[in-house]
Amino acid sequence: LDETGLPAELIDIELAETALTLDEERASEAIRRLHDLGVTIAIDDFASADQHSELIRQLPIDQAKVDFSILPPALTGAEAEDVLAIRRHGERRRAGHAAIERAIQQARTWGLDVTAKRIETIEHLTLLRQFGISRAQGYVLGRPVSESEFGEFASKLRKIA
């Protein structure tokens, strides 16, 4: 931050849950220092955070990123007409939906902002509305771009803003 002069509020750091557990004391200290500077701290793959929930709850975490890829893709071709495949697909969808809903509820209970990640279908966008989530990332919203492409995009935004 000192070197670039970039305001800390513009920086979001995403941490995998496993990164916290490698050296809990050191990770906790680093997170607290960054948070005190104004950096936003997010836990990636929050749906799996049950295992280390007490540690996560004690840290100054701002955001939970919930992975929507646990929802199975739509059935196509012969599968779409196979009664057993349809039944199994429905069971996987219900289980995935329930896991996502639990993660979102837990994050909100802890006062965390929720960002949905891996939003890749219109169906995922519809679920966002149902869950009341306004932050998302994924291919259906936009593909990753190079630094130069982003620069061009930002320039265009500045012109219309």
Side-chain angles (χ1 to χ4, degrees):
L1 294 174
D2 290 338
E3 189 176 308
T4 64
L6 192 65
E9 305 81 46
L10 297 179
I11 298 175
D12 292 357
I13 293 181
E14 297 178 19
L15 300 168
E17 176 187 350
T18 54
L20 299 175
T21 60
L22 294 174
D23 185 343
E24 288 182 20
E25 189 175 318
R26 190 169 170 210
S28 296
E29 177 60 28
I31 289 168
R32 289 182 205 294
R33 286 192 1 243
L34 287 166
H35 190 267
D36 289 348
L37 292 171
V39 172
T40 299
I41 308 293
I43 294 295
D44 199 21
D45 294 330
F46 189 78
S48 65
D50 293 340
Q51 191 174 3
H52 303 102
S53 61
E54 190 57 34
L55 173 62
I56 292 169
R57 201 171 64 118
Q58 293 173 8
L59 293 171
I61 305 294
D62 303 292
Q63 194 177 105
K65 298 191 85 173
V66 177
D67 190 344
F68 271 57
S69 70
I70 63 174
L71 293 174
L75 295 177
T76 59
E79 276 188 324
E81 297 184 21
D82 180 335
V83 174
L84 289 176
I86 293 169
R87 183 175 298 143
R88 284 190 304 272
H89 184 265
E91 290 166 1
R92 287 193 308 270
R93 281 188 42 71
R94 283 188 292 282
H97 192 278
I100 288 170
E101 190 167 20
R102 278 192 309 275
I104 292 167
Q105 288 173 348
Q106 184 66 67
R108 287 182 173 152
T109 297
W110 291 348
L112 304 177
D113 291 328
V114 176
T115 298
K117 68 179 229 177
R118 294 194 181 133
I119 302 303
E120 298 179 1
T121 66
I122 298 302
E123 178 190 14
H124 288 167
L125 287 173
T126 302
L127 286 174
L128 292 180
R129 284 192 215 104
Q130 290 175 5
F131 289 132
I133 297 174
S134 60
R135 293 182 187 174
Q137 64 187 54
Y139 285 161
V140 76
L141 301 169
R143 300 252 179 214
V145 296
S146 69
E147 183 179 350
S148 63
E149 290 172 312
F150 182 77
E152 291 171 23
F153 175 73
S155 292
K156 289 177 186 176
L157 279 181
R158 275 189 230 111
K159 290 177 184 175
I160 62 172

